[in-house]
Amino acid sequence: MAERNEFRTLMEEYIAFLEESVEREKEKYAALVSYDPKRTDKVVAEQQAANMRLARLEECREEAQRQAGWEGLTFRQILERTDGAEKDTLTDLFERFENAVNEIRFYNSRSLSFANDGLRILGAAGVGQQTGTYDAAGRQHDGVKGASLFETEV
């Protein structure tokens, strides 16, 4: 039973982090649309630190879930194996978890869309497209136009 309490405690910490991450995603989007490079650099640095903490929390969650006897189970499967007050508590936690993840995805997709639109406006290629690459001798690869505005023929 102590292991399940530890799992719930960890999930509360994890969810609080995810809910804070929603605010970071909102700030990241606001920084992008502000066109303020210092503000954008700051949120990118914060994002890198948050990603490391997220990875650590996920590892801890997996271990706590294993110790609670729920290794490899989805949240839905865990709920099927619980009842009473424990099920109610976990249902609330898992709903908060899902809501936070969905909000993070929403704001992240807005940021990515805005950044990609900006790249298209500047004439840069989208994600996955090769742009203005050069070999070790400084020659541009055949058939690839650079993304630089200075390489545009007038």
Side-chain angles (χ1 to χ4, degrees), residues 97-112:
F97 185 95
E98 183 178 25
N99 289 338
V101 167
N102 287 337
E103 280 193 76
I104 290 168
R105 285 180 179 152
F106 172 76
Y107 286 106
N108 186 265
S109 70
R110 286 181 69 185
S111 294
L112 286 173

Side-chain angles (χ1 to χ4, degrees), residues 1 6 22 25 27 38 46 74 108 139 142 153:
M1 194 61 156
E6 288 177 24
V22 171
E25 285 297 322
E27 174 57 27
K38 288 182 181 178
E46 290 171 353
T74 65
N108 186 265
R139 291 182 302 265
D142 292 336
E153 291 181 28

Side-chain angles (χ1 to χ4, degrees), residues 45-87:
E46 290 171 353
Q47 181 69 45
Q48 291 170 341
N51 287 346
M52 289 188 286
R53 184 165 177 221
L54 176 64
R56 186 182 57 77
L57 282 168
E58 182 59 19
E59 288 174 9
C60 291
R61 182 205 54 83
E62 288 175 352
E63 178 59 22
Q65 190 170 319
R66 185 189 65 73
Q67 289 181 5
W70 296 321
E71 184 174 14
L73 298 179
T74 65
F75 291 159
R76 183 169 284 120
Q77 291 169 326
I78 291 171
L79 292 175
E80 291 171 356
R81 289 169 170 75
T82 59
D83 54 14
E86 181 180 43
K87 185 173 188 164

